[in-house]
Amino acid sequence: MGDIEHLFEPRGVAVIGASNSPGKIGYKILHNILECGYKGKVYPVNPKGGEILGCKAYRKAEDIEGPVDVAIISVPAKFALEAVEDCARKGVKYIPLITSGFSEIGEIELEMEIVKTAKQAGMRILGPNIFGIYSSRSSLNGTFGPKDIKPGHVAIITQSGALGIAMIGKTAVENIGLSTMVSVGNKCDIDESDLLDYLIEDEQTKVIMMYIEGVSKGSRFISTLKRATKVKPVVVIKSGRSERGAQAAASHTGSLAGSDDIFDSVMKQCGVLRAESIKTAFNWCKFLANAPEPPGRNVIIITNGGGIGVMATDACEKFGIHLYDDPEATKRIFGPVTPDFGSTKNPVDLTGGASSEDYIGALKAAATNPDIHGAIGLYCETALFDAKGLTSAIRQSHEMFAHNGKPLVFSSLGGKTIQDGIDELGKEGVPVFEDVYEAVECLGAVFRTKEHKKKMESFYPEILTNSTIITETIGGAMYDGRNFLLADEAKKLLESSGIQMPKSMVAKDLAQAVSAAEDIGYPVVMKVVSRDILHKSDAGGVVLDLQNRNEVIDAWEGIMMSCKRYDPSTRITGIEVCEMVKKGVETIVGARRDPSFGPIVMFGMGGIYVEVLKDVAFRALPLTRAEAIGLIKETKAYPLLLGVRGEDKKDIDTVVETILQVGALLQSTSLITDIEINPLVVYDQGQGGRAVDGRILLSSKEVKE
Ligand code: ACO
């Protein structure tokens, strides 16, 4: 972790570019530090010297007597390097560089020069182009945002400065306490992973929220995120759901790999909760920061209205919440506290005549019953029951649930008095929502966090690949000037990695083709082998289901003719004679290098409609077996593999192994850019599968990971 705690708990802070002019950022930062009760020493630095906001101003940082762990720089870009050099002479450890005007506007060299200077002096740069840093541990508000920040348990890391400043204001309105707020800006040096390293260990931080625009150094980010979610919930908002980032590529895996789809899949793999909006992220953070981890999965809904109860039931299904479903038990538990004309089945309906005492009674029964592990309270405004009574009932129930170590979320719908009650409770940190879905979604986030922790496995299986075959085959292709492997070469590599391929041979002439077909056994398939033809079917280079010797002879002549007609200059190496693969579930398995996350694998429904169906999901490598199963489960291919309408279950183990083997092959050499098996035909359990068509693309240069 290094000494990153000095950034959050500095012994002394210098503000370089501190000013007496209230309109300047250097003034505002110093003002915030002084006003918010920072516990260490504060040193304004300004070439004019004198006094700023009642503090002695130093002409240079190097003139400061005491230790300075953090120097916040707010001088114009043209003076920034000089200020960093001054900090180096002083022995500063961390520099939040507020200044804009670097790589974000194309001034990359100056930014690099600053990083180099800092590195040589053992200093780290946060930013540039940031609004600063807040840390509750040292009561340091080193930002030029709002003065008032409530200390608490939510850490926010944001790539957008303007949004971050707005979020500070919003957290105050929403009564969300912050443990830290860091703006990362251009991330020229310190990035999210460095900050996560600190926040994972930081006991004050119960939830981490991140606003991300783009990811670099993805492999490290993934491993840090995986460590973080083992310990505490991580909520991410990422902008840019567009397909713009998708790379034009020659493989399906490439064209299906929209940058946002990959981001989404990888966040699921890491157990991160991805929020669609800032509002949702704030709701989750607020709830997760205070909710106890449920001791089990049984949730009960308690309501005074049937309609709202059904809505909550729907929402539970959507957000993966398990409703307690034991009518005998719920009758025993809730019978004594439910009116005769109500319902003791889940959702428990206290009916429109319910009083605040009825709510307290039912919620107490839920809070104290060991078979119930969480609850959703619902209230629709009626004239029978005053809002004050409701507010007090919710408050009491919240305390009861907290005392019993179970989460409770409440949704209350009605007029102004109800809204006032929600606001009053919100200020006290009691989670009440107007919208049922918002309430249930928060509880869902708690269960997802728990499920993920339970599922986490850190064993990465070792899959063997054959380095001699890989090196020789790729070397040969590169010698020929090709950036792809021929079908037989791709097959050799896939087979050597343990992937089950159809039996096949490449025939150089008709006699060899006939003898190959007899050896393999009919029916067979014949496919042209040519470095000039990437899409064989388009060139008439594939003939299926050949039943005998005569059909093989006809197919040989047909393929040769069609391919020459398709392109007379085509060079044909031979024709591959292949086992005709029997029918099964057609899936696709791919692997490629993503510009943000490095090596990734893909799985989904395969066959010729793959790009229309777009039923694929991704995972970053390396992959545990559990993560490979999670990948399969994320697609609609999964129910097909389980077997529909009385079909037998398919060989899911073969799919898992193939995904791991394809991943291992990609990682075995940086010369492979894309691998794709489409279709991987999967048979009934125990009968394996066949990788019918394998394609491998090569890089023209070594890729750095
Ligand atoms: N050491 C110390 N002080 C110095 C130095 C130096 N080497 N050089 C200049 N100063 C002093 C100046 O004399 C001045 O003090 P004064 O008011 O007493 O004269 C002070 O530092 C500030 O310098 P100015 O030239 O007045 O610069 P100004 O404050 O106008 O702007 C700033 C500096 C804020 C860094 C500007 O260049 C900038 O980058 N603004 C954008 C910041 C930003 O938006 N960051 C991203 C935030 S996120 C978001 O989008 C909201």
Side-chain angles (χ1 to χ4, degrees):
M1 186 163 88
D3 63 354
I4 196 149
E5 67 275 6
H6 287 301
L7 175 62
F8 295 91
E9 300 154 57
R11 289 164 296 174
V13 174
V15 179
I16 314 229
S19 169
N20 268 316
S21 307
K24 291 195 181 177
I25 288 180
Y27 171 93
K28 180 72 182 161
I29 292 174
L30 182 64
H31 186 260
N32 274 351
I33 295 174
L34 295 171
E35 286 285 304
C36 299
Y38 167 58
K39 291 167 189 154
K41 291 247 187 236
V42 190
Y43 307 102
V45 177
N46 184 302
K48 294 175 196 147
E51 210 175 78
I52 302 176
L53 284 164
C55 304
K56 175 187 169 187
Y58 293 77
R59 289 179 203 283
K60 290 208 168 313
E62 64 176 315
D63 298 340
I64 298 168
E65 306 87 20
V68 176
D69 291 330
V70 168
I72 303 174
I73 297 184
S74 175
V75 298
K78 60 180 181 217
F79 301 128
L81 180 60
E82 172 190 316
V84 169
E85 286 164 349
D86 180 23
C87 290
R89 287 189 293 273
K90 170 61 197 157
V92 166
K93 293 181 188 302
Y94 286 89
I95 298 179
L97 181 52
I98 303 289
T99 313
S100 301
F102 297 97
S103 61
E104 81 282 7
I105 56 156
E107 291 290 341
I108 297 164
E109 271 176 32
L110 180 56
E111 192 173 291
M112 281 166 61
E113 187 62 27
I114 285 175
V115 176
K116 194 171 137 206
T117 306
K119 218 170 227 160
Q120 279 164 357
M123 301 188 295
R124 307 271 329 249
I125 307 275
L126 178 67
N129 190 28
I130 59 170
F131 65 78
I133 176 166
Y134 164 77
S135 167
S136 71
R137 271 195 180 271
S138 49
S139 303
L140 171 68
N141 182 354
T143 75
F144 62 89
K147 175 169 71 69
D148 295 319
I149 304 182
K150 186 185 166 206
H153 301 297
V154 178
I156 301 182
I157 301 172
T158 171
Q159 202 173 342
S160 159
L163 247 177
I165 292 183
M167 282 197 268
I168 298 182
K170 189 69 182 155
T171 54
V173 173
E174 293 279 329
N175 200 31
I176 296 175
L178 298 181
S179 60
T180 184
M181 167 70 117
V182 194
S183 164
V184 288
N186 297 2
K187 299 193 265 190
C188 74
D189 176 14
I190 293 175
D191 62 14
E192 289 92 350
S193 302
D194 296 306
L195 299 168
L196 280 172
D197 270 338
Y198 171 79
L199 296 173
I200 290 170
E201 306 279 332
D202 178 37
E203 281 170 13
Q204 302 223 1
T205 300
K206 299 236 160 69
V207 186
I208 301 165
M209 173 176 149
M210 288 194 277
Y211 169 82
I212 297 177
E213 281 166 1
V215 174
S216 54
K217 297 186 217 149
S219 299
R220 178 166 172 238
F221 186 48
I222 291 167
S223 67
T224 318
L225 270 180
K226 282 186 176 178
R227 273 195 294 115
T229 56
K230 259 188 208 168
V231 184
K232 48 191 84 172
V234 178
V235 175
V236 162
I237 309 171
K238 180 180 175 288
S239 57
R241 280 188 175 268
S242 74
E243 290 293 308
R244 200 165 54 97
Q247 302 277 308
S251 70
H252 290 304
T253 316
S255 58
L256 289 165
S259 62
D260 193 68
D261 299 324
I262 297 178
F263 184 87
D264 212 55
S265 283
V266 173
M267 289 305 110
K268 278 188 192 130
Q269 176 181 7
C270 296
V272 165
L273 303 165
R274 184 175 184 184
E276 292 285 326
S277 66
I278 292 181
K279 186 175 185 215
T280 306
F282 274 15
N283 280 346
W284 291 354
C285 287
K286 211 169 16 168
F287 193 65
L288 287 160
N290 297 305
E293 188 167 283
R297 61 185 201 132
N298 292 339
V299 169
I300 196 90
I301 300 173
I302 292 169
T303 179
N304 68 342
I308 200 169
V310 173
M311 279 173 77
T313 307
D314 290 348
C316 284
E317 194 173 306
K318 180 167 177 197
F319 300 117
I321 292 176
H322 179 261
L323 289 174
Y324 187 39
D325 188 21
D326 184 342
E328 286 300 310
T330 51
K331 192 173 176 187
R332 253 192 336 270
I333 302 165
F334 297 105
V337 290
T338 309
D340 293 343
F341 42 90
S343 167
T344 58
K345 284 194 195 130
N346 199 3
V348 175
D349 190 351
L350 302 177
T351 76
S355 66
S356 54
E357 287 75 28
D358 292 331
Y359 268 93
I360 293 174
L363 285 161
K364 186 175 179 187
T368 51
N369 188 287
D371 293 329
I372 295 175
H373 310 121
I376 299 164
L378 306 172
Y379 176 73
C380 281
E381 188 174 19
T382 64
L384 291 168
F385 170 175
D386 70 291
K388 276 212 170 58
L390 174 71
T391 305
S392 153
I394 296 175
R395 189 182 291 117
Q396 274 187 54
S397 312
H398 186 255
E399 281 162 13
M400 270 185 311
F401 272 77
H403 178 73
N404 285 283
K406 300 175 187 180
L408 166 71
V409 68
F410 224 98
S411 169
S412 185
L413 186 65
K416 186 175 178 314
T417 44
I418 295 294
Q419 191 54 53
D420 289 347
I422 293 177
D423 294 344
E424 186 184 327
L425 289 163
K427 284 196 190 107
E428 296 169 24
V430 178
V432 186
F433 299 86
E434 196 181 336
D435 186 79
V436 182
Y437 269 73
E438 278 181 28
V440 177
E441 198 176 12
C442 281
L443 193 63
V446 170
F447 279 98
R448 268 158 69 195
T449 304
K450 183 179 168 171
E451 271 301 295
H452 174 74
K453 279 197 211 160
K454 219 169 62 186
K455 273 197 310 220
M456 273 198 104
E457 177 204 18
S458 48
F459 175 72
Y460 295 103
E462 200 188 331
I463 308 285
L464 295 179
T465 53
N466 187 322
S467 59
T468 314
I469 293 183
I470 293 169
T471 315
E472 280 176 11
T473 314
I474 295 179
M478 287 189 147
Y479 183 77
D480 281 358
R482 274 184 280 128
N483 67 347
F484 64 93
L485 295 187
L486 297 175
D488 60 322
E489 294 169 336
K491 180 170 182 272
K492 205 188 321 171
L493 253 61
L494 293 169
E495 238 164 13
S496 72
S497 308
I499 294 164
Q500 296 170 343
M501 308 290 294
K503 283 182 255 166
S504 81
M505 281 174 227
V506 175
K508 303 275 181 208
D509 56 34
L510 179 56
Q512 279 185 10
V514 172
S515 124
E518 316 256 276
D519 283 352
I520 290 167
Y522 295 104
V524 294
V525 174
M526 287 170 67
K527 296 181 208 169
V528 68
V529 181
S530 166
R531 71 188 63 189
D532 303 319
I533 302 174
L534 199 54
H535 296 285
K536 300 182 209 77
S537 300
D538 295 353
V542 182
V543 185
L544 306 174
D545 201 14
L546 303 168
Q547 298 285 350
N548 53 47
R549 181 191 167 87
N550 286 344
E551 287 187 13
V552 168
I553 295 169
D554 290 348
W556 178 277
E557 279 158 10
I559 288 173
M560 287 296 182
M561 230 159 60
S562 304
C563 292
K564 284 288 174 200
R565 202 181 304 128
Y566 180 71
D567 179 1
S569 63
T570 295
R571 288 160 293 180
I572 297 175
T573 316
I575 291 184
E576 190 186 357
V577 182
C578 229
E579 164 195 351
M580 171 91 187
V581 172
K582 63 179 170 63
K583 281 203 178 346
V585 174
E586 292 198 351
T587 62
I588 181 168
V589 177
R592 75 187 309 258
R593 289 173 205 282
D594 177 70
S596 297
F597 291 111
I600 53 162
V601 286
M602 178 189 84
F603 172 76
M605 295 245 270
I608 55 170
Y609 301 122
V610 62
E611 288 191 63
V612 179
L613 296 172
K614 283 193 186 338
D615 173 50
V616 290
F618 303 85
R619 288 294 181 268
L621 292 166
L623 207 61
T624 65
R625 278 208 162 75
E627 286 171 339
I629 293 169
L631 165 63
I632 298 168
K633 283 188 176 170
E634 210 176 301
T635 68
K636 294 195 185 78
Y638 182 62
L640 296 184
L641 292 171
L642 288 179
V644 282
R645 292 178 174 253
E647 277 177 350
D648 285 336
K649 189 177 172 190
K650 308 295 171 226
D651 204 326
I652 295 175
D653 287 347
T654 287
V655 181
V656 170
E657 288 313 306
T658 310
I659 292 169
L660 295 173
Q661 285 156 340
V662 163
L665 181 56
L666 183 80
Q667 286 193 294
S668 69
T669 167
S670 54
L671 292 171
I672 297 181
T673 61
D674 295 61
I675 305 173
E676 187 171 285
I677 296 172
N678 185 26
L680 169 73
V681 179
V682 189
Y683 301 131
D684 289 350
Q685 195 161 15
Q687 293 178 25
R690 286 285 187 279
V692 176
D693 202 359
R695 232 192 274 178
I696 295 179
L697 303 182
L698 305 175
S699 152
S700 42
K701 52 186 182 304
E702 290 260 352
V703 190
K704 259 201 171 156
E705 261 153 31

